[in-house]
Amino acid sequence: MRPPLPPFNEQSAIEKVRLAEDGWNSRDAAKVALAYSEDTRWRNRTEFAVNREEAQAFLERKWKKELDYRLIKELWAFSDNRIAVRYAYEWRDDAGNWFRSYGNENWEFAPDGLMQRRFACINDMPIKESERLFHWPQGRRPDDHPGLSELGL
């Protein structure tokens, strides 16, 4: 079980989104992968994962490439067992180039609260280091840090 469980209401959907954000900000691929069903199906840019093991491998590759990763997610919409989010994350490559990636995800959950489908669309925008907006220490975004809407993103 991975609460909150569907069917979602506004509060439980917001909680689910924040838990996902917190997990991804941990950059612990093994831990994050446990939020997905064994037979999870993903589309992330041009990559397709068809089980939890492939999702974990994807996350390991992602966080080796996307250094100093910091993510903010925001609920967009929800229904019974589905949640739509928008998000932005900042990261740099190994040459020191900074990016802000913008995206949308559609999630579908099994009755046990594990995510069984994840469809992501993402665009990367080069930014200067001085244009960064996500400055908290690596890990969970502090509760008092502005979200996407407050930052005008």
Side-chain angles (χ1 to χ4, degrees), residues 7-152:
F8 298 110
N9 60 38
E10 184 176 16
Q11 188 56 42
S12 64
I14 289 169
E15 181 182 353
K16 196 73 159 178
V17 170
R18 182 59 193 243
L19 289 169
E21 175 188 313
D22 292 349
W24 281 60
N25 275 327
S26 78
R27 297 180 311 145
D28 183 337
K31 179 182 170 187
V32 171
L34 294 176
Y36 301 93
S37 64
E38 289 285 343
D39 62 347
T40 194
R41 297 284 186 265
W42 284 24
R43 184 191 73 228
N44 196 95
R45 301 180 194 255
T46 59
E47 274 197 69
F48 295 79
V50 297
N51 58 48
R52 183 186 288 164
E53 183 177 289
E54 288 184 13
Q56 181 176 335
F58 164 83
L59 293 169
E60 289 167 354
R61 288 190 307 277
K62 173 185 180 61
W63 291 320
K64 283 181 184 171
K65 175 188 171 206
E66 296 177 353
L67 308 174
D68 291 320
Y69 177 94
R70 286 168 180 79
L71 164 73
I72 300 175
K73 290 184 181 281
E74 183 175 283
L75 177 66
W76 185 254
F78 68 94
S79 67
D80 181 43
N81 69 332
R82 292 180 173 174
I83 295 176
V85 299
R86 65 188 201 93
Y87 59 91
Y89 61 93
E90 294 180 348
W91 58 281
R92 67 173 176 83
D93 63 18
D94 59 3
N97 301 303
W98 282 93
F99 300 87
R100 184 173 305 122
S101 299
Y102 296 95
N104 299 293
E105 291 179 345
N106 296 312
W107 303 338
E108 183 178 80
F109 294 89
D112 63 3
L114 295 176
M115 193 181 301
Q116 56 192 11
R117 290 202 277 178
R118 175 183 173 269
F119 305 106
C121 297
I122 309 161
N123 299 299
D124 301 322
M125 183 177 78
I127 61 173
K128 297 175 186 168
E129 186 172 5
S130 62
E131 296 173 313
R132 291 182 55 222
L133 298 173
F134 304 173
H135 293 287
W136 65 88
Q138 198 73 60
R140 186 179 193 277
R141 176 174 55 103
D143 291 334
D144 62 351
H145 190 283
L148 295 178
S149 292
E150 293 84 4
L151 290 169

